Amino acid sequence: MHLWSTFQVSSPLSAKMKIKTLLVKGSRLQQRLEKEQPWKPSVYSSLTPACFTSPLIEKPTGKENKKKINAREMLRPALEGRTLCGESMPQTPPFSAMFDSSGYNRNLYQSAEDSCGGLCYHDNNLLSGSLEALIQHLVPNVDYYPDRTYIFTFLLSSRLFMHPYELMAKVCHLCVEHQRLSDPEGDKNQIRKIAPKILQLLTEWTETFPYDFRDERMMRNLKDLAHRIASGEETYRKNVQQMMQCLIRKLAALSQYEEVLAKISSTSTDRLTVLKTKPQSIQRDILTVCSDPYTLAQQLTHIELERLNYIGPEEFVQAFVQKDPLDNDKSCYSERKKTRNLEAYVEWFNRLSYLVATEICMPVKKKHRARMIEYFIDVARECFNIGNFNSLMAIISGMNMSPVSRLKKTWAKVKTAKFDILEHQMDPSSNFYNYRTALRGAAQRSLTAHSSREKIVIPFFSLLIKDIYFLNEGCANRLPNGHVNFEKFWELAKQVSEFMTWKQVECPFERDRKILQYLLTVPVFSEDALYLASYESEGPENHVEKDRWKSLRSSLLGRV
């Protein structure tokens, strides 16, 4: 079933979307809010690609800012009463099983409440605690193993207070000293009971946050603790070896991915430079590479899912790391702000937006530009049907950049009924209410999917980041008594775990290397080049545009 079929045409809305810069350091693109034009084909005439150069979002006001997050109503671990006393390695369940909207498991922390001081509960739900007590709550013993929701939530949020290698060192110390793993004369039966639990905790960590182990200090501690466990029995040695091999494969894949991104970035060229050196008659456009909008939407989904897959959950937290007032180590703070894969994904959104604008502005003839607009409208519509909302929004953003939206004669030849539906569904008013409704529909479809295609959910990424940013800014990390505000981090973990579920979906569509190569590497116009191409297609309408046109011709083409 297509999501598209559930919506009807609605009259265009005049709301303006304001997306301020959020995350990516050093981005050359700057968000612009253009003045409203007398004529515009879309409510998005003010929207340009999101740049995210720093977290400068306006804080919400009124009820939105005062609303207290009640994660108890939104979070429930699926693994109720799970214990790991057996000899074999327990299986790690999928992220879709971790959280739902039913609230906490009432009995989840009951067993640890009396034995672990420094933790604060309400109705048997963990709300806050000292950092030291929370660390102890993470470490298993003979009679206790933390629920997976707690492991994920604490490993995700703890980096706001300490570096992962510091946490790993503390965990190793507690495991070795408290469980007497360092004592060769220790109780073998007790070690046999605790070893699989410690190994499972390490497996959870390496599977969910593998990028932590690019730090040699992390890997050193991991190997040391794993060696102590493996020295006991052959079964443990095999499990340790399996865990280490899986981790090394993930880190190797990440390094290869980063090399590919670096190669693509180093070979990128401005489209105008290519036009100067290559006659336009032999230049390719997107229609010569892929004339079918459905196929292009599928290839865009390939790129989206691949880049999503390499974003670590910790990057959402590290993007907003601030100096902990109780921490005096300045170097620790700078090391924690690592968001390279998240940044690469935002750069892809920007590239796709500029690619769409370039393909529309490049044709000399008006009918060809109109055909290109209609082509991208069809691509965007299929992205919506697939559940690829990020590509959808990037395409809409590209079509509503000012160099494109000012082409009145071109837009007059376009059938905009489909576009009206798209802009209604992605309308930013009421905090993207229509989009959020569609996203919930796609998420629900994914849960009950009968095919891999129906599992695809690719959110509008900048809005996901903004939601997490508001959550982070709206609630303090620490309470007045110095305790960690764990109620906040339950909600943070819930939002990130949804993303973790979506990013693990494998793309069901066949890859087309030629189309993918074009999308990832073809040169695109800069903003100035887009304006120049736009003025060359449909001349300036006022003195301001004429002056800019002359300036651009002089600076970019060397003409007067």
Side-chain angles (χ1 to χ4, degrees):
M1 181 187 73
H2 279 184
L3 288 173
W4 186 265
S5 63
T6 63
F7 298 103
Q8 298 178 344
V9 178
S10 177
S11 58
L13 303 174
S14 60
K16 265 197 170 185
M17 179 181 182
K18 295 182 179 180
I19 300 181
K20 289 196 173 182
T21 57
L22 291 177
L23 284 177
V24 181
K25 288 185 175 181
S27 172
R28 296 178 181 177
L29 302 173
Q30 293 295 324
Q31 177 69 17
R32 291 188 175 183
L33 294 175
E34 305 288 352
K35 294 181 180 179
E36 285 190 303
Q37 312 229 351
W39 176 93
K40 57 180 181 179
S42 153
V43 300
Y44 289 95
S45 60
S46 63
L47 177 63
T48 57
C51 309
F52 315 108
T53 54
S54 60
L56 299 178
I57 307 177
E58 295 172 354
K59 289 186 178 181
T61 58
K63 295 180 179 178
E64 195 174 347
N65 197 30
K66 296 177 181 178
K67 184 178 180 181
K68 182 180 179 181
I69 296 172
N70 187 357
R72 294 193 302 276
E73 298 175 357
M74 308 177 73
L75 178 66
R76 181 186 65 81
L79 310 173
E80 299 181 7
R82 180 162 71 109
T83 59
L84 302 181
C85 295
E87 296 282 332
S88 61
M89 284 290 291
Q91 294 298 308
T92 301
F95 269 90
S96 58
M98 281 180 60
F99 299 91
D100 68 10
S101 58
S102 305
Y104 291 127
N105 171 12
R106 291 289 179 179
N107 300 313
L108 177 57
Y109 302 107
Q110 187 70 37
S111 61
E113 185 169 356
D114 298 330
S115 60
C116 189
L119 298 179
C120 180
Y121 296 83
H122 179 70
D123 292 336
N124 292 334
N125 299 320
L126 179 60
L127 300 184
S128 68
S130 66
L131 188 58
E132 199 64 35
L134 292 169
I135 294 173
Q136 292 183 28
H137 198 49
L138 178 70
V139 179
N141 56 42
V142 174
D143 303 313
Y144 165 75
Y145 186 83
D147 189 273
R148 193 184 181 212
T149 54
Y150 178 78
I151 295 174
F152 177 73
T153 302
F154 185 69
L155 292 181
L156 178 70
S157 59
S158 62
R159 60 199 70 234
L160 289 170
F161 308 99
M162 62 195 307
H163 196 286
Y165 83 84
E166 296 176 309
L167 176 60
M168 173 61 84
K170 288 180 177 292
V171 168
C172 289
H173 174 76
L174 290 172
C175 289
V176 171
E177 298 302 321
H178 291 196
Q179 308 308 326
R180 301 180 65 187
L181 294 181
S182 59
D183 184 0
E185 303 300 325
D187 185 347
K188 297 294 184 182
N189 187 47
Q190 178 168 327
I191 294 177
R192 192 175 292 112
K193 288 181 179 179
I194 190 61
K197 294 184 179 182
I198 296 174
L199 191 52
Q200 173 64 6
L201 177 63
L202 297 179
T203 302
E204 298 265 12
W205 199 333
T206 57
E207 287 184 353
T208 312
F209 300 93
Y211 302 167
D212 286 350
F213 295 89
R214 301 185 92 178
D215 187 326
E216 183 55 36
R217 294 165 295 189
M218 287 285 294
M219 190 64 84
R220 190 163 53 243
N221 282 324
L222 173 66
K223 290 178 178 178
D224 178 65
L225 185 56
H227 174 72
R228 293 177 184 274
I229 295 173
S231 61
E233 295 187 12
E234 179 64 25
T235 304
Y236 302 152
R237 278 195 290 273
K238 290 181 179 179
N239 291 333
V240 166
Q241 186 179 20
Q242 179 184 357
M243 177 186 70
M244 296 302 297
Q245 288 176 346
C246 182
L247 175 60
I248 291 171
R249 281 197 301 270
K250 287 187 177 183
L251 296 181
L254 175 62
S255 296
Q256 186 178 12
Y257 168 71
E258 290 175 347
E259 289 174 6
V260 171
L261 289 183
K263 187 175 181 180
I264 291 174
S265 178
S266 65
T267 57
S268 62
T269 311
D270 180 70
R271 189 67 162 256
L272 190 61
T273 304
V274 178
L275 281 174
K276 288 180 180 179
T277 59
K278 208 173 185 181
Q280 189 166 354
S281 59
I282 61 171
Q283 295 238 356
R284 294 183 303 168
D285 63 17
I286 190 67
L287 288 174
T288 64
V289 177
C290 178
S291 59
D292 180 16
Y294 300 100
T295 301
L296 187 69
Q298 292 173 0
Q299 298 310 303
L300 288 173
T301 303
H302 262 295
I303 297 173
E304 296 279 355
L305 287 174
E306 180 183 50
R307 299 211 169 189
L308 275 181
N309 185 55
Y310 283 101
I311 298 175
E314 70 279 0
E315 294 189 48
F316 291 99
V317 174
Q318 288 166 181
F320 305 119
V321 165
Q322 296 179 356
K323 189 74 170 59
D324 184 5
L326 301 183
D327 181 12
N328 296 318
D329 184 2
K330 294 182 179 179
S331 63
C332 179
Y333 159 72
S334 61
E335 287 182 7
R336 295 203 303 267
K337 289 184 72 68
K338 294 180 180 178
T339 57
R340 66 186 69 181
N341 301 300
L342 189 149
E343 293 172 13
Y345 191 50
V346 174
E347 288 167 3
W348 156 248
F349 180 97
N350 291 334
R351 171 178 170 77
L352 180 55
S353 295
Y354 272 81
L355 175 61
V356 170
T358 298
E359 296 286 346
I360 293 172
C361 289
M362 233 183 43
V364 175
K365 293 185 178 181
K366 180 169 49 182
K367 65 178 181 180
H368 292 163
R369 294 193 298 274
R371 184 177 66 176
M372 190 67 75
I373 291 175
E374 291 181 341
Y375 172 79
F376 277 114
I377 290 174
D378 287 337
V379 174
R381 171 175 169 161
E382 182 59 17
C383 285
F384 184 94
N385 286 333
I386 291 172
N388 181 358
F389 298 106
N390 200 57
S391 288
L392 164 63
M393 195 61 176
I395 293 170
I396 291 177
S397 176
M399 287 194 289
N400 285 280
M401 295 176 71
S402 289
V404 178
S405 65
R406 66 170 298 278
L407 300 174
K408 299 178 184 178
K409 295 176 182 178
T410 301
W411 279 96
K413 289 186 168 292
V414 175
K415 299 176 182 178
T416 59
K418 297 176 184 176
F419 195 52
D420 292 341
I421 300 175
L422 287 174
E423 61 183 10
H424 174 65
Q425 297 308 326
M426 302 305 289
D427 171 40
S429 63
S430 300
N431 194 18
F432 286 89
Y433 176 81
N434 294 337
Y435 157 72
R436 293 181 190 277
T437 301
L439 180 66
R440 285 195 298 272
Q444 186 60 38
R445 180 182 68 179
S446 178
L447 292 174
T448 58
H450 298 292
S451 67
S452 54
R453 173 175 173 141
E454 292 177 335
K455 292 181 180 179
I456 297 173
V457 183
I458 303 174
F460 174 29
F461 197 64
S462 68
L463 191 59
L464 175 63
I465 296 174
K466 189 188 79 168
D467 289 344
I468 294 174
Y469 176 78
F470 280 161
L471 171 60
N472 186 62
E473 288 293 295
C475 301
N477 291 338
R478 289 188 185 270
L479 301 178
N481 63 359
H483 273 201
V484 173
N485 181 8
F486 216 73
E487 189 174 16
K488 165 184 174 176
F489 296 125
W490 285 126
E491 177 60 24
L492 176 65
K494 178 182 179 295
Q495 291 197 18
V496 176
S497 71
E498 287 179 335
F499 165 81
M500 292 291 288
T501 301
W502 298 335
K503 81 166 193 159
Q504 292 173 352
V505 173
E506 291 189 13
C507 190
F509 308 118
E510 185 177 348
R511 295 173 66 93
D512 188 309
R513 292 186 176 275
K514 182 177 68 172
I515 299 174
L516 291 173
Q517 179 77 5
Y518 185 90
L519 290 171
L520 291 169
T521 63
V522 69
V524 298
F525 281 152
S526 65
E527 185 177 9
D528 284 344
L530 281 173
Y531 272 105
L532 177 59
S534 180
Y535 293 142
E536 295 287 339
S537 298
E538 295 187 23
E541 296 185 342
N542 52 54
H543 292 297
V544 174
E545 289 190 345
K546 286 180 180 178
D547 290 343
R548 185 171 190 181
W549 181 37
K550 292 178 182 178
S551 175
L552 291 173
R553 284 175 64 89
S554 175
S555 61
L556 299 180
L557 300 179
R559 302 176 188 171
V560 178

